[in-house]
Amino acid sequence: MTSICPADGEQCSFEDCTCSNSSHVRELVNVSLDGRPCFACEPQRLPACTEVYDQCTPEACACANSRTHVKYNASTVDGSLCFYCEPVAGTFTFGRTEVLMAVLLVFLLALWRSGRQPCRLKATLRLPRRSGDQHRAIRVSQQPSEPLRFYEEVIQVVGDAFDAIVDGACELFSWPFRRGRGRARSA
């Protein structure tokens, strides 16, 4: 004897069951850890239409997300009706191309800023002790007492990169304002 499958959407039955509502279909909604199927009754849904360029679905279908995609009719080479979905005009999806462009922009900005950064070595000018050579300065590099550990170097490089990106962005956004002030002064 078959039982009635649950139709509330939160439960399923491990027994062989049928749907009490004829507009619903029995679907496999879950599988237990030991491999037993679990069934429930759900409203009958159309299959999803293709979103692939230059292809269409030959049977009745619906868009997977009707808020972001619109369903269109088309015909195959032999003239039979088929359907496909495309993004709604004006819907912006942040895809691989946009991510790649953003990463490239950040990389170029960091590269541009790194070329404009002054040398990060701690260096001072020390005059020689002889009184006759006071016009000649000797550059002396101050080295830390012990070398940096690997994680300290990584933190320093990441910090320098972040500083370069922030400085570059600030300089890039302030450039039009500085350019405008220069024109106002010359007028």
Side-chain angles (χ1 to χ4, degrees), residues 16-171:
D16 189 26
C17 58
T18 59
C19 296
S20 61
N21 188 341
S22 62
S23 66
H24 287 65
V25 292
R26 185 181 83 147
E27 290 196 22
L28 176 68
V29 292
N30 207 347
V31 177
S32 68
L33 291 176
D34 59 353
R36 292 185 343 183
C38 191
F39 299 98
C41 290
E42 294 185 354
Q44 191 167 3
R45 294 180 296 219
L46 293 173
C49 296
T50 186
E51 297 173 8
V52 178
Y53 173 75
D54 214 12
Q55 292 183 9
C56 62
T57 305
E59 60 187 2
C61 59
C63 293
N65 187 344
S66 60
R67 290 177 291 171
T68 60
H69 288 74
V70 176
K71 179 178 164 183
Y72 293 103
N73 298 339
S75 60
T76 60
V77 176
D78 64 353
S80 61
L81 184 65
C82 63
F83 307 96
Y84 65 98
C85 291
E86 283 188 351
V88 175
T91 302
F92 178 74
T93 56
F94 202 77
R96 290 182 189 166
T97 306
E98 289 81 9
V99 169
L100 182 64
M101 294 303 291
V103 168
L104 182 65
L105 179 67
V106 168
F107 175 73
L108 290 174
L109 186 64
L111 191 63
W112 174 68
R113 281 300 297 164
S114 67
R116 299 191 59 182
Q117 289 287 328
C119 183
R120 294 275 175 165
L121 290 176
K122 294 181 179 179
T124 59
L125 294 177
R126 182 184 299 166
L127 293 176
R129 295 212 169 140
R130 292 183 295 170
S131 62
D133 292 338
Q134 289 183 1
H135 66 281
R136 290 185 11 198
I138 301 170
R139 186 169 297 272
V140 177
S141 175
Q142 296 176 347
Q143 297 294 329
S145 59
E146 62 184 53
L148 294 175
R149 295 183 179 145
F150 178 72
Y151 71 90
E152 292 173 330
E153 287 183 21
V154 170
I155 290 172
Q156 187 175 15
V157 167
V158 169
D160 289 346
F162 181 75
D163 289 344
I165 291 170
V166 169
D167 290 344
C170 289
E171 190 171 321

